[in-house]
């Protein structure tokens, strides 16, 4: 695993010495004393009573009618959770808290320019009802899929919860995705209602967001009937134009007629889908991960309570974007179902300066803080003097999305947690809905660099490529798999059960068997399990890259590059990066008649930005004479990865021309 280089000063030595002598860190006593789960028997209880013990999770929710069966596993891998139960997610996130905490802040939003909104549970109830009425007004019915393309503004969670209220699954597309990416997702979900906003602020600049929807409407094959347009400010931004023949509807105008509207929550079957979340896989087309209502909500809520240790009285801040799964589960559904105060921040962490995050933490007296290793590495590079200027005190901190190097972990522990906050490193995926491997923080010691133990009832294992389990403590890495179903798991890939089986199950399951014991979920990650049972996650084994915690498919990037006319052949390799974890390097050969030039490079970068989004921009575009290809014409990305990372070349004997990698290396060294 890559390590982070630290500045050569005294603290460097101190951190290294501490890591060398201390493998485990005990959870602070002040944390343990108040934790939501302090009974060590919970692990055995779930193990001995699987799957029935998960009723404890579902019991954290309010059900319209109770389930008959906790898990129906008669048709693997199409498992059904809390079968026969009915509920509504918006009731669980809002209505049920009103008797006790209607005046408590549900969402605490901070805009980048410094404007703020405190939305109490009662306000959220009103706004979600009114927005649900807006959906109804424009013809959204139960089971219609609503596409949301919104930045980090209150309109996003409100649009999600009001869709959930009327039983319309939402498909939130991260605001940073391009028009083309939005159009692809609209088409795949055949979604004819889109929700967007005129714009938002990023590093002091107002970004025109509606332009992406305009373009997506042109690009999509689906006939989008309505685009609901929010406004970032009181007035529509002067640069944003609406003409009479386009499908835009100003949300505020409809809301005005819907003031005080009440919309009865639709009673949803536990197995009815709550949302889709598109994510990158090993092919060019992103997959619509489909999540059910009951199992998903139970999983997000229970892990928010027992792993994130959220109490209703807490102020909790997860700095992820709601447009990704982390924000769905751990800004919106989990925390609000527990009736807590969840903070949302619109902008960049360094706007107007590098103290912004800690200023917000101080201002709102945040108790629980949740971020990514990429952010921790960035804070670390900015220096510990910055957080030291602010007065905040976290009880609990989380990392998610990537492996965290022990050095970064320790820096987070000392300089952000002050040495007395507990840290959980949470491993999970868009597909898993909620945490699968992470410690229950009062019950297990922290071990920097390891995600930790499985969540109660979860059964991960490490398999070799032949599907044989690798014993823990053998120090051998392998494929991370999950050997039995869990409540938050995806139901399927939207509209494509075959792909669901192919991507996640086929490799390690007996797919013609009806016995659930023969079905094993492949996570796509490499992992190693130590003697003490702790899992260390090593990163993706498939053609998926983790760039600053954003998941990108190699194939998606390559197809964007291939759109450029000058390009003959393209391959993308991950380069390790001290801050972002991995960044994409693009290797390209040009067609006859095209010359290497800055213009071609710029066109390739622009194509990636157009097809996916600016966040996918490559670190380097190398124009080379030839790519390493096997005799059968397969490009060996692995060798390109060796070149990008300046490592010794792996086996080159199967190459048509074994001298190609060295020639590429020489070419890019010059
Ligand atoms: O490679 C693993 C990495 O992120 C992938 C899932 O990405 P995504 O679906 O976008 O969800 C991100 C938020 C859960 C995984 O396959 N990953 C996630 N958490 C960790 C991690 N790698 C190491 N340690 C983690 N804690």
């Amino acid at each position: 695993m890559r390590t982070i280089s630290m500045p050569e000063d005294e603290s460097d030595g101190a951190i290294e010495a501490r890591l060398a002598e201390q493998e485990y860190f005990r959870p602070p006593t002040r944390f343990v004393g108040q934790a939501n789960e302090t009974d060590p028997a919970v692990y055995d209880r779930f193990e001995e009573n699987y799957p029935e013990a998960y009723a404890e999770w579902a019991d954290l929710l309010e059900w319209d009618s109770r389930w008959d069966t906790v898990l129906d596993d008669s048709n693997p891998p199409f498992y059904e959770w809390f079968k026969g139960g009915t509920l509504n997610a918006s009731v669980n996130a809002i209505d049920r808290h009103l008797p006790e905490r209607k005046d408590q802040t549900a969402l605490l939003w901070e805009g980048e320019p410094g404007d703020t909104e405190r939305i109490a549970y009662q306000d959220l109830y009103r706004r979600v009802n009114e927005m649900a009425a807006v959906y109804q007004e424009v013809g959204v019915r139960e089971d219609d899929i609503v596409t949301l393309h919104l930045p980090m503004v209150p309109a996003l969670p409100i649009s999600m919860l009001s869709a959930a209220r009327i039983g319309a699954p939402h498909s939130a597309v991260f605001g940073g995705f391009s028009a083309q990416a939005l159009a692809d997702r609209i088409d795949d979900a055949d979604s004819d209602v889109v929700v967007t906003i005129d714009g938002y602020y990023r590093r002091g600049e107002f970004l025109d967001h509606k332009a992406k929807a305009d373009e997506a409407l042109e690009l999509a094959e689906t006939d989008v009937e309505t685009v609901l347009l929010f406004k970032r400010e009181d007035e529509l931004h002067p640069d944003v134009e609406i003409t009479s023949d386009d499908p835009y509807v100003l949300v505020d105008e409809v809301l005005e007629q819907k003031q005080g509207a009440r919309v009865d929550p639709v009673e949803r079957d536990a197995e009815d889908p709550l949302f889709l979340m598109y994510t990158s896989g090993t092919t060019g087309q992103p997959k619509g991960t489909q999540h059910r209502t009951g199992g998903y909500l139970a999983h997000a809520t229970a892990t928010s309570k027992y792993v994130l240790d959220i109490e209703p009285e807490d102020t909790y801040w997860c700095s992820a974007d709601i447009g990704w799964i982390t924000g769905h589960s751990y800004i919106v559904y989990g925390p609000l179902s527990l009736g807590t105060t969840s903070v949302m921040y619109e902008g960049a962490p360094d706007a107007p300066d590098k103290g912004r995050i800690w200023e917000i933490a101080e201002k709102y007296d945040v108790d629980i803080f949740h971020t990514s290793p990429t952010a921790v590495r960035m804070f670390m590079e900015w220096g510990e003097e910055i957080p030291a200027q602010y007065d905040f005190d976290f009880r609990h901190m989380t990392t998610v999305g990537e492996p965290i190097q022990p050095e970064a972990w320790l820096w987070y522990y000392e300089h952000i947690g002050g040495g007395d906050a507990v840290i959980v490193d949470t491993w999970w995926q868009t597909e898993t809905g909620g945490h699968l491997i992470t410690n229950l923080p009062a019950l297990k010691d922290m071990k920097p660099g390891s995600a930790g133990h499985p969540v109660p009832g979860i059964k991960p294992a490490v398999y070799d490529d032949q599907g044989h389990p690798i014993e823990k403590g053998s120090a051998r890495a392998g494929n991370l798999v999950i050997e039995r179903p869990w409540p938050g798991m995806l139901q399927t890939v939207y509209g494509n059960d075959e792909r669901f089986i192919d991507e996640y199950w086929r490799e390690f399951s007996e797919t013609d068997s009806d016995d659930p014991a023969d079905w094993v979920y492949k996570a796509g990650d490499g992992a190693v399990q130590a003697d003490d049972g702790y899992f260390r996650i090593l990163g993706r084994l498939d053609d998926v890259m983790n760039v600053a915690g954003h998941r990108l498919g190699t194939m998606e990037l390559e197809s964007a590059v291939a759109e450029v006319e000058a390009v003959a052949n393209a391959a993308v390799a991950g380069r390790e990066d001290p801050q972002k974890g991995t960044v994409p390097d693009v290797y390209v050969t040009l067609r006859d008649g095209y010359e290497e030039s800055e213009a071609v490079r710029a066109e390739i970068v622009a194509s990636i930005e157009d097809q996916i989004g600016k966040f996918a921009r490559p670190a380097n575009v190398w124009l080379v004479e030839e790519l390493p290809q096997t005799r059968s014409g397969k490009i060996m990305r692995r060798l390109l990865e060796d070149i990008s990372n300046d490592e010794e070349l792996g086996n080159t004997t199967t190459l048509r021309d074994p001298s190609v990698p060295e020639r590429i290396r020489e070419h890019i060294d010059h």
Side-chain angles (χ1 to χ4, degrees):
M1 203 164 58
R2 181 174 44 81
T3 50
I4 269 220
S5 51
M6 297 276 295
E8 301 235 330
D9 61 16
E10 278 192 59
S11 63
D12 179 19
I15 287 182
E16 275 176 6
R18 218 165 150 190
L19 276 175
E21 80 195 24
Q22 215 178 331
E23 205 184 356
Y24 302 97
F25 290 71
R26 291 218 59 95
T29 328
R30 73 158 181 167
F31 175 81
V32 177
Q34 59 77 62
N36 283 336
E37 183 58 87
T38 51
D39 179 9
V42 62
Y43 288 103
D44 287 345
R45 194 168 73 238
F46 274 72
E47 194 51 47
E48 286 156 16
N49 195 20
Y50 174 92
E52 274 70 30
Y54 283 119
E56 290 181 31
W57 287 12
D59 274 331
L60 297 174
L61 304 178
E62 187 174 297
W63 294 78
D64 294 318
S65 50
R66 213 177 152 76
W67 59 91
D68 314 308
T69 316
V70 169
L71 170 65
D72 178 346
D73 60 5
S74 58
N75 181 26
F78 301 96
Y79 300 102
E80 295 184 87
W81 283 93
F82 308 114
K83 200 172 170 179
T86 59
L87 76 170
N88 183 284
S90 87
V91 168
N92 275 281
I94 311 169
D95 304 33
R96 65 168 171 152
H97 307 310
L98 297 180
E100 258 184 76
R101 51 189 79 253
K102 67 179 171 38
D103 296 325
Q104 184 192 306
T105 307
L107 291 169
L108 196 46
W109 175 78
E110 168 121 347
E112 196 189 74
D115 44 345
T116 60
E117 262 190 72
R118 258 180 202 276
I119 304 175
Y121 275 95
Q122 180 69 38
D123 303 328
L124 189 60
Y125 174 75
R126 178 181 53 78
R127 289 172 70 168
V128 162
N129 272 278
E130 290 172 357
M131 182 64 190
V134 171
Y135 280 140
Q136 287 179 332
E137 178 72 32
V138 300
V140 179
R141 299 285 172 260
E142 188 174 357
D143 292 322
D144 290 349
I145 296 172
V146 179
T147 301
L148 314 177
H149 191 229
L150 288 162
M152 282 292 281
V153 291
L156 177 49
I158 288 171
S159 301
M160 288 164 65
L161 293 163
S162 20
R165 193 164 192 87
I166 58 171
H170 50 78
S171 167
V173 178
F174 169 58
F177 271 118
S178 67
Q180 181 66 58
L182 174 60
D184 292 344
R185 286 155 180 77
I186 290 171
D187 283 342
D188 190 81
D190 198 13
S191 164
D192 62 7
V193 176
V194 176
V195 184
T196 189
I197 192 165
D198 54 353
Y200 62 103
Y201 290 95
R202 197 78 194 165
R203 296 208 165 83
E205 203 188 324
F206 184 86
L207 303 183
D208 177 353
H209 193 60
K210 175 179 167 282
K212 287 188 183 171
D214 292 342
E215 210 186 318
L217 294 180
E218 300 281 316
L219 294 165
E221 280 167 25
T222 309
D223 184 16
V224 175
E225 282 177 16
T226 310
V227 184
L228 291 166
L229 182 70
F230 277 93
K231 295 184 304 210
R232 170 64 179 79
E233 307 280 357
D234 289 341
E235 298 300 325
L236 201 61
H237 195 270
D239 294 350
V240 170
E241 281 174 32
I242 297 185
T243 55
S244 54
D245 54 353
D246 52 29
Y248 288 92
V249 172
L250 285 173
V251 177
D252 285 357
E253 281 180 8
V254 192
L255 275 175
E256 224 154 82
Q257 306 151 23
K258 301 292 172 192
Q259 276 182 30
R262 293 292 172 264
V263 173
D264 285 341
V266 170
E267 209 177 303
R268 295 285 275 173
D269 193 283
E271 280 294 312
D272 282 340
L274 177 61
F275 66 88
L276 304 183
M277 167 66 60
Y278 281 85
T279 191
S280 297
T282 48
T283 64
Q285 272 307 309
K287 313 170 272 199
T289 304
Q290 180 179 317
H291 281 287
R292 71 196 86 227
T293 305
Y296 168 81
L297 200 61
H299 198 139
T301 305
T303 47
S304 293
K305 178 160 183 168
Y306 301 122
V307 177
L308 305 180
D309 203 59
I310 293 175
E311 293 278 0
E313 295 71 30
D314 285 325
T315 300
Y316 160 84
W317 184 15
C318 169
S319 73
D321 193 294
I322 295 177
W324 302 107
I325 192 72
T326 302
H328 274 48
S329 300
Y330 298 119
I331 299 178
V332 181
Y333 284 113
L336 296 182
S337 293
L338 292 174
T340 199
T341 299
S342 186
V343 177
M344 279 179 75
Y345 170 54
E346 174 183 40
D350 53 356
D353 58 55
K354 296 189 166 93
R356 187 62 185 273
I357 297 293
W358 319 118
E359 182 199 312
I360 296 173
E362 175 181 312
K363 178 167 154 194
Y364 297 124
D365 201 10
V366 171
D367 303 290
I368 304 176
F369 183 67
H370 187 153
T371 198
S372 65
T374 288
V376 173
R377 292 189 293 261
M378 186 177 69
F379 301 142
M380 193 166 154
E381 201 177 293
W382 291 350
E384 63 231 36
E385 330 64 77
I386 295 174
Q389 291 159 25
Y390 297 87
D391 184 17
F392 58 88
D393 180 18
F394 300 145
R395 170 179 97 234
H396 181 296
M397 306 193 301
T398 302
T399 64
V400 60
E402 314 154 69
I404 183 160
Q405 298 67 29
E407 289 85 349
W409 188 96
L410 202 59
W411 187 91
Y412 191 43
Y413 180 69
E414 292 193 339
H415 298 293
I416 306 303
D420 69 351
V422 81
I423 298 182
V424 286
D425 174 348
T426 56
W427 176 84
W428 58 296
Q429 309 177 295
T430 302
E431 294 86 344
T432 72
H435 306 142
L436 292 193
I437 302 180
T438 184
N439 290 333
L440 292 175
L443 295 175
K444 301 285 181 193
D445 289 347
M446 301 175 266
K447 186 178 180 188
S450 287
H453 287 265
V455 164
I458 307 297
K459 207 172 168 210
V462 180
Y463 283 8
D464 66 17
D465 287 343
Q466 285 67 49
H468 304 121
I470 298 176
E471 282 300 302
K472 71 176 179 186
S474 70
R476 278 169 60 216
N479 300 277
L480 180 61
V481 300
I482 313 293
E483 295 184 316
R484 63 189 183 200
W486 63 95
M489 68 195 306
L490 74 165
Q491 287 180 297
T492 187
V493 169
Y494 179 71
N496 201 339
D497 290 346
E498 233 3 75
R499 190 163 173 206
F500 172 59
I501 294 174
D502 286 347
E503 293 245 357
Y504 303 107
W505 305 94
R506 193 168 301 287
E507 189 163 345
F508 296 118
S509 307
E510 285 170 38
T511 49
D512 48 8
S513 164
D514 286 340
D515 181 354
D518 294 330
W519 287 79
V520 172
Y521 172 89
K522 178 181 101 166
D525 278 320
V528 57
Q529 190 183 19
D531 236 352
D532 56 14
Y534 282 65
F535 283 87
R536 190 153 66 88
I537 313 297
L538 305 169
R540 301 292 307 195
L541 293 176
D542 51 6
D543 293 328
V544 172
M545 251 187 267
N546 196 331
V547 181
H550 295 160
R551 186 162 154 182
L552 285 173
T554 311
M555 300 280 281
E556 261 172 277
L557 286 157
E558 288 172 358
S559 26
V561 176
E563 294 274 312
V564 176
E565 199 179 302
V567 169
N569 244 323
V572 171
R575 169 196 289 266
E576 291 179 358
D577 180 89
Q579 204 178 82
K580 295 182 172 171
T582 312
V583 290
D585 268 1
V586 175
Y587 290 84
V588 159
T589 58
L590 296 182
R591 293 188 5 202
D592 285 348
Y594 287 91
E595 300 264 313
E596 178 170 346
S597 72
E598 273 319 304
V600 173
R601 271 202 193 87
E603 218 185 311
I604 289 170
V605 173
S607 180
I608 291 177
E609 292 185 0
D610 286 350
Q611 301 289 316
I612 305 171
K614 286 202 165 66
F615 68 95
R617 204 183 327 212
N620 295 293
V621 177
W622 304 115
L623 305 178
V624 298
E625 275 173 22
E626 216 174 314
L627 292 172
Q629 277 175 304
T630 60
R631 274 171 222 110
S632 59
K634 196 169 168 278
I635 297 174
M636 292 187 71
R637 292 199 193 94
R638 200 174 36 74
L639 293 170
L640 294 171
E641 231 148 63
D642 294 338
I643 297 172
S644 273
N645 293 298
D646 221 0
E647 275 165 12
E648 217 171 287
L649 289 178
N651 188 353
T652 55
T653 52
T654 56
L655 289 183
R656 189 155 50 202
D657 177 354
S659 73
V660 168
E662 278 310 340
R663 281 192 279 130
I664 296 178
R665 210 198 284 270
E666 275 169 32
H667 177 78
I668 69 175
D669 277 349
H670 288 118

